[in-house]
């Protein structure tokens, strides 16, 4: 969710809005630090801090604060087990703020930063009861009255080659998930008239150029209408060494393609990394929607492993803020 755009929309349409943020987490909690929800004066909201009694209570507090007009922020220190009966057992601090049209100019740079995509940090400080924010510099935040928040959307890029039945089902399966899909097909009128917001449908001119220009952390799925085209795209993707290259097809198709890959001189370790058939094991139904759901789970597993590897890298361990 693009928090600052949503907040701006609520303020513009309804005159005011509240922002609820998970400010600190100790122990087990329904959501992680920096989880957020944006609340209208009538109680409608976008986002979640985990549901359950915690979310209901914070929504009530936010609505009460909005009824009193734009005012000071509140930090609520909340135990989950004894206070709310939630079995998580941890403790959270929740930051609740109210905004109105006076804040739109201050919010505008944050809306612009969100629109660029990716994650970004905001440096925060409490001043006169309200939180003041600015885009963070490279310098570390001083302890005490200042802290950093992370905003934006961490979407994993997906190159999806092919707009057939499974391609269409997969685009819909990935629509609510943290992926940015570049959907490619060389056929005229291959795409539906409407695609999800996280998807760009593109008439493909050069699959080699698409592979060469893709981000190195992209995941690649190949399911075109043409086997020789599948072969060429898959070979190029394997050479590039993406974290996931998936090819729709059977074990027989894989064996035939592996033979051709060896003839093309691809290293055996790259050939072995190919995912074919695609999807999680144990699901044999070949309905497009079922295949798409299975592949979506597999991509989430790949994304989770990549994030874990990044968080455990020496740079991540030594360079945290």
């Amino acid at each position: 969710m693009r928090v600052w755009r949503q907040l701006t929309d609520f303020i513009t349409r309804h005159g005011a809005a509240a922002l609820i943020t998970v400010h600190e987490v100790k122990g087990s909690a329904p959501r992680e630090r920096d989880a957020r929800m944006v609340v209208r004066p009538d109680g409608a909201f976008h986002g979640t801090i985990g549901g359950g009694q915690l979310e209901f209570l914070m929504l009530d507090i936010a609505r009460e604060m909005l009824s009193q007009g734009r005012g000071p922020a509140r930090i609520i220190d909340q135990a989950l087990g004894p206070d709310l009966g939630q079995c998580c057992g941890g403790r959270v601090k929740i930051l609740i703020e109210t905004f109105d049209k006076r804040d739109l100019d201050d919010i505008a740079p944050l809306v612009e930063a969100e629109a660029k995509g990716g994650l970004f940090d905001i440096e925060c400080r409490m001043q006169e009861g309200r939180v003041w924010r600015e885009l963070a510099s490279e310098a570390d935040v001083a302890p005490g009255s200042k802290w950093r928040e992370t905003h934006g959307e961490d979407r994993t890029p997906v190159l999806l080659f092919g707009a057939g039945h499974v391609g269409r089902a997969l685009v819909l399966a990935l629509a609510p998930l943290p992926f940015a899909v570049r959907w490619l097909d060389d056929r005229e009128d291959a795409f539906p008239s409407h695609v999800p917001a996280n998807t760009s449908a593109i008439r493909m001119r050069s699959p080699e150029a698409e592979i060469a220009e893709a981000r190195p952390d992209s995941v690649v799925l190949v399911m075109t209408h043409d086997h020789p085209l599948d072969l060429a795209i898959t070979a190029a993707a394997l050479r590039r060494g993406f974290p996931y290259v998936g090819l729709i097809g059977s074990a027989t198709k894989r064996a035939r393609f592996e033979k051709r890959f060896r003839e093309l001189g691809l290293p055996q370790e790259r050939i072995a990394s190919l995912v074919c058939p695609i999807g999680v094991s144990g699901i044999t139904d070949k309905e497009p929607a079922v295949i798409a759901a299975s592949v979506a789970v597999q991509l989430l597993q790949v994304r989770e492993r990549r994030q874990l590897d990044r968080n455990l890298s020496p740079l991540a361990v030594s360079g945290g803020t």
Side-chain angles (χ1 to χ4, degrees):
M1 180 179 70
R2 294 187 174 181
V3 171
W4 299 107
R5 183 180 67 181
Q6 189 65 65
L7 192 70
T8 297
D9 180 68
F10 278 1
I11 293 170
T12 302
R13 293 172 180 266
H14 303 279
L19 176 61
I20 302 175
T21 302
V22 179
H23 184 65
E24 186 178 305
V25 175
K26 293 182 178 179
S28 179
R31 287 295 306 275
E32 68 285 355
R33 182 179 181 271
D34 285 338
R36 299 178 180 89
M37 55 196 307
V38 183
V39 188
R40 291 185 346 200
D42 63 2
F45 61 89
H46 279 262
T48 178
I49 58 169
Q53 292 301 315
L54 174 68
E55 186 164 293
F56 295 149
L57 176 60
M58 297 305 134
L59 280 170
D60 284 345
I61 295 172
R63 290 189 67 185
E64 179 187 357
M65 290 171 64
L66 284 168
S67 71
Q68 297 172 4
R70 177 181 181 274
R74 290 182 61 182
I75 294 181
I76 299 154
D77 191 349
Q78 184 71 59
L80 297 173
D83 291 356
L84 296 179
Q86 292 192 210
C87 60
C88 299
R91 193 174 196 95
V92 295
K93 288 185 179 180
I94 305 295
L95 171 64
I96 305 180
E97 307 165 74
T98 53
F99 300 82
D100 63 17
K101 292 184 178 180
R102 287 171 285 180
D103 299 300
L104 289 176
D105 287 343
D106 292 331
I107 293 171
L110 308 180
V111 176
E112 184 178 347
E114 270 185 337
K116 294 177 181 177
L119 298 178
F120 61 98
D121 285 346
I122 294 176
E123 189 171 302
C124 310
R125 69 182 188 277
M126 191 72 75
Q127 182 173 317
E128 297 178 353
R130 295 186 60 81
V131 179
W132 292 85
R133 292 178 171 89
E134 58 184 353
L135 295 175
S137 65
E138 294 300 319
D140 289 339
V141 178
S145 62
K146 290 187 178 182
W147 69 94
R148 273 191 180 180
E149 297 176 339
T150 299
H151 289 259
E153 297 174 311
D154 183 15
R155 294 183 177 271
T156 299
V158 177
L159 261 64
L160 172 57
F161 292 91
H165 295 305
V166 177
R168 291 184 177 220
L170 183 57
V171 162
L172 294 177
L174 297 179
L177 301 177
F179 297 97
V181 182
R182 187 171 175 85
W183 194 13
L184 302 148
D185 200 292
D186 62 352
R187 297 171 294 174
E188 189 175 358
D189 300 325
F191 301 107
S193 56
H194 298 284
V195 299
N198 70 333
T199 299
S200 300
I202 297 162
R203 178 83 180 276
M204 181 174 61
R205 302 298 182 185
S206 171
E208 295 82 4
E210 293 289 345
I211 294 294
E213 295 168 6
R215 277 174 40 180
D217 60 338
S218 299
V219 297
V220 179
L221 284 145
V222 184
M223 50 185 71
T224 78
H225 58 94
D226 182 74
H227 275 214
L229 184 58
D230 279 355
L231 180 72
I233 294 171
T234 306
L238 290 173
R239 280 197 188 94
R240 178 81 192 276
F242 294 107
Y244 173 99
V245 179
L247 170 68
I248 197 167
S250 63
T252 301
K253 181 177 180 180
R254 179 188 184 115
R256 291 175 178 172
F257 273 43
E258 283 188 349
K259 181 176 182 295
R260 288 290 294 122
F261 294 151
R262 287 191 290 270
E263 293 171 354
L264 292 170
L266 266 69
Q268 183 56 39
E269 63 270 19
R270 293 287 175 86
I271 296 174
S273 71
L274 174 66
V275 180
C276 179
I278 54 176
V280 295
S281 61
I283 298 177
T284 58
D285 194 323
K286 291 182 172 56
E287 282 288 329
V290 176
I291 295 172
S294 176
V295 172
V297 171
Q298 193 171 55
L299 295 187
L300 287 169
Q301 291 173 335
V302 172
R303 171 183 163 86
E304 190 81 11
R305 287 195 298 270
R306 296 287 290 181
Q307 289 184 323
L308 180 61
D309 289 345
R310 187 165 62 238
N311 290 339
L312 292 178
S313 70
L315 180 62
V317 171
S318 64
T321 57

